[in-house]
Amino acid sequence: MPGVKLFPREHVAFETTLSKEETLKRLRQIAQQNKINAEKDALMPYFGKVEGEKFSLEHKLDARSFFFTRVAGNVDVQATGTLIQVIIGLRWFGNLFVILFSLVLIPGLIGELATYLNTGTSKNLLMLALLCTILYGWLVIEFNWRSKAFKEAFQKALDAQIVEYK
């Protein structure tokens, strides 16, 4: 499996020997749980919906997390069981931050660095860019940690194996 990704989005496929109906039943149980009576595992902070063969789960609001993960996927029948294709990513605020960081802050940082090297000024903006870079690093590390925890719990909940990883 690959290491840390710089853009917080993953495509993962799980394969289980469970029937499609049993898989969807377990996904509905995960989607309908609430924080009070949920089991204490990595899927506990997720809620969502299952519609037909498609599902989406979002991370519940939590004081420890600033950028929340979102999981969307679909369930397909295979000869050997069921295939669950999943996209793990960020909700809109996290994606907005990544886009702004990529399109605005990186070019701005390069321009400010050039100005700083030529004139010796612009230290305040350079510090702001450094702060945003640290925040982005935190986002990537937290996403990778939450993604790994989700995949492990998802495998356990659905008796599944990862068969594809992009």
Side-chain angles (χ1 to χ4, degrees):
M1 290 192 182
V4 174
K5 294 185 173 232
L6 293 178
F7 188 78
R9 184 178 178 96
E10 291 184 77
H11 296 257
V12 184
F14 298 88
E15 188 174 57
T16 181
T17 56
L18 298 174
S19 69
K20 179 179 174 182
E21 292 75 24
E22 178 64 22
T23 302
L24 289 168
K25 178 183 168 192
R26 291 188 186 191
L27 284 169
R28 280 188 201 93
Q29 289 172 345
I30 293 167
Q32 293 172 354
Q33 67 187 345
N34 63 41
K35 209 166 194 171
I36 296 168
N37 63 8
E39 292 180 32
K40 297 292 182 194
D41 65 23
L43 291 175
M44 188 268 299
Y46 286 87
F47 70 97
K49 60 184 175 183
V50 178
E51 294 176 345
E53 298 175 347
K54 297 186 182 295
F55 66 94
S56 65
L57 302 170
E58 290 190 6
H59 196 276
K60 291 182 181 178
L61 296 178
D62 177 319
R64 294 172 289 172
S65 179
F66 189 61
F67 301 101
F68 305 107
T69 52
R70 182 177 178 279
V71 178
N74 63 316
V75 178
D76 294 317
V77 177
Q78 285 193 295
T80 58
T82 305
L83 181 70
I84 305 112
Q85 295 177 323
V86 176
I87 298 173
I88 305 170
L90 296 175
R91 288 173 64 181
W92 71 270
F93 183 75
N95 286 326
L96 179 66
F97 180 79
V98 169
I99 290 168
L100 287 175
F101 182 82
S102 301
L103 298 177
V104 176
L105 291 176
I106 290 176
L109 177 62
I110 292 169
E112 284 303 312
L113 184 59
T115 302
Y116 178 72
L117 292 174
N118 287 336
T119 63
T121 59
S122 299
K123 292 179 186 176
N124 291 338
L125 206 47
L126 198 56
M127 291 302 291
L128 178 63
L130 179 62
L131 178 65
C132 289
T133 303
I134 291 169
L135 187 60
Y136 183 78
W138 173 54
L139 176 143
V140 170
I141 290 168
E142 183 175 334
F143 173 80
N144 283 292
W145 173 74
R146 288 191 185 273
S147 174
K148 180 181 179 210
F150 175 83
K151 288 183 282 191
E152 289 170 358
F154 203 69
Q155 284 178 287
K156 183 179 173 186
L158 298 176
D159 299 321
Q161 303 278 344
I162 294 178
V163 292
E164 238 179 83
Y165 193 93
K166 296 179 186 175

